[in-house]
Amino acid sequence: MSGSFLVFGAGAWGTALSIQLVKSGNNVVLSSFDKENLCQIRKDRENKKYLPGFKLPKVVGVEPFSEKLLTNTDSIVVCVKSPYFKRALLLLKNNVGDNNLVWATKGFDPDNGGLLSSMVTSVVGTKTKTAILSGPTFAEELAIGKPAAITLATNTIDNPLLLAESMSNESLRVYLSPDPVGVQLGGGLKNIVAIAAGISDGLEMGANAKAALVTRALDEISSLGLLFGASEKTFMGLSGMGDVMLSSYDDKSRNRQLGLAIGGGLSFNDAVALQKGTPEGANAIKTLVENGVVNDQQPVLHSVYEVLYSGTKSNTIAKELMRRPIKNEDLR
């Protein structure tokens, strides 16, 4: 079953998703805040700014946002970075109507550390059909058509199977989850873990250390998830363990690259400059710690804040983590 999608956010991932949605037989329009970049994409059929080297199919519409784009749309997929998520909601809120509002944005409300779903409720209202799209997917591999799987989480769309089927094809498999809270947490917190894993590798601490670090961090994610009311099982799925593995072990991860640079001796500011922008994990941990969501009860996650924003040396934090009191592995 095909559908009609408005993908809002013409970065690398939004562009790659548009390619996949067309491959699935859907009508797709790509839009964003950046009118200049949209003009370039429409002219060259390539997003040279964010996803160079991948041609956009001619059937993908590329248009600045206007209300008329939603006239024949079934689903809106928001793919902007978390600092711009509220701005996107404010732009769309009066025109969502009966459309599904899906977001692939990973992060947290910068004002209070809350879930993006709470922001959606406050801006758009409670009657909108919503879903979260999250999982282990790099834009480049998605665009070229290498096999990938992702999770669509919703408890408000009446028949989410139809939506998942319309998005799926021979190279993209969309699984369903009834746990939007857990899927959001997994997608937002995995970026912080990727920074920690990068720092570990930058310090040349070895494979044993990184395996322990990532495993304990995943346990911290699960424990936070339970506090938020999520299902623990969700964190063993694509949006939890899957995304943690991808971002912590593959050098295409911008969050991992940030950690590598810092572990290798660069300051946070210099590492951010090297990435040409602040990766989502750095924004996320700042928001979560400064709003009291993450604290020293999540030592791996909290240690990333200490390194990035408190000026603590990476090797000092590594020693402190190893000197913590001994306890049962399953004790939270």
Side-chain angles (χ1 to χ4, degrees):
M1 178 181 177
S2 63
S4 297
F5 289 82
L6 170 65
V7 177
F8 190 84
W13 209 87
T15 304
L17 181 63
S18 297
I19 294 171
Q20 281 294 322
L21 289 175
V22 163
K23 186 176 181 179
S24 302
N26 298 290
N27 297 315
V28 180
V29 174
L30 178 64
S31 187
S32 77
F33 295 118
D34 191 344
K35 294 181 180 180
E36 183 178 344
N37 191 45
L38 289 175
C39 287
Q40 180 272 308
I41 296 172
R42 184 165 51 189
K43 174 178 176 289
D44 299 325
R45 305 310 300 178
E46 179 183 346
N47 191 341
K48 294 182 177 179
K49 185 175 183 179
Y50 296 112
L51 195 65
F54 298 91
K55 287 296 182 180
L56 197 67
K58 292 181 180 180
V59 291
V60 176
V62 182
E63 301 287 345
F65 179 77
S66 66
E67 294 181 10
K68 69 176 183 179
L69 293 181
L70 298 175
T71 304
N72 297 310
T73 296
D74 302 319
S75 299
I76 305 164
V77 186
V78 179
C79 298
V80 300
K81 291 185 177 181
S82 60
Y84 308 104
F85 187 69
K86 188 172 186 178
R87 182 182 169 195
L89 292 180
L90 290 170
L91 180 68
L92 296 165
K93 70 173 186 176
N94 294 325
N95 303 291
V96 174
D98 292 330
N99 294 317
N100 300 315
L101 179 60
V102 183
W103 62 93
T105 301
K106 296 176 179 178
F108 300 89
D109 187 334
D111 293 332
N112 55 33
L115 297 176
L116 296 182
S117 54
S118 297
M119 187 190 296
V120 171
T121 298
S122 66
V123 174
V124 181
T126 58
K127 295 182 179 180
T128 302
K129 298 173 291 184
T130 60
I132 297 93
L133 195 62
S134 187
T137 49
F138 286 137
E140 295 86 351
E141 293 187 13
L142 199 64
I144 205 170
K146 291 186 176 181
I150 199 166
T151 300
L152 180 73
T154 180
N155 51 21
T156 58
I157 295 176
D158 292 333
N159 193 344
L161 178 61
L162 293 179
L163 179 58
E165 287 177 342
S166 72
M167 301 175 75
S168 299
N169 59 55
E170 62 189 22
S171 57
L172 179 63
R173 185 172 176 85
V174 181
Y175 284 86
L176 291 170
S177 169
D179 185 15
V181 170
V183 169
Q184 287 178 89
L185 283 169
L189 294 171
K190 65 92 182 180
N191 289 321
I192 304 169
V193 182
I195 295 174
I199 291 173
S200 177
D201 283 344
L203 290 170
E204 298 183 350
M205 296 179 69
N208 293 348
K210 186 165 68 171
L213 184 77
V214 170
T215 303
R216 294 307 302 166
L218 187 58
D219 184 77
E220 292 177 16
I221 291 175
S222 297
S223 65
L224 274 174
L226 293 175
L227 293 176
F228 273 79
S231 168
E232 188 169 14
K233 188 176 180 180
T234 299
F235 302 107
M236 295 298 104
L238 292 167
S239 61
M241 181 187 291
D243 223 349
V244 167
M245 290 172 60
L246 182 78
S247 299
S248 298
Y249 284 83
D250 195 289
D251 285 342
K252 286 190 284 292
S253 166
R254 294 181 69 244
N255 292 282
R256 171 175 161 73
Q257 285 292 336
L258 180 75
L260 278 169
I262 292 171
L266 289 185
S267 68
F268 173 55
N269 289 335
D270 287 344
V272 167
L274 192 65
Q275 290 295 309
K276 299 179 181 179
T278 305
E280 287 283 18
N283 291 324
I285 193 57
K286 187 175 191 296
T287 296
L288 293 175
V289 170
E290 294 180 0
N291 284 283
V293 180
V294 168
N295 52 47
D296 58 7
Q297 295 302 303
Q298 296 84 35
V300 175
L301 299 177
H302 193 265
S303 70
V304 175
Y305 180 86
E306 293 294 318
V307 172
L308 268 55
Y309 297 106
S310 296
T312 308
K313 296 292 185 181
S314 302
N315 54 358
T316 300
I317 286 288
K319 292 176 182 177
E320 290 177 357
L321 286 173
M322 293 300 291
R323 290 171 179 162
R324 296 180 65 250
I326 300 299
K327 63 179 183 179
N328 288 338
E329 185 178 11
D330 61 353
L331 184 64
R332 291 171 174 165

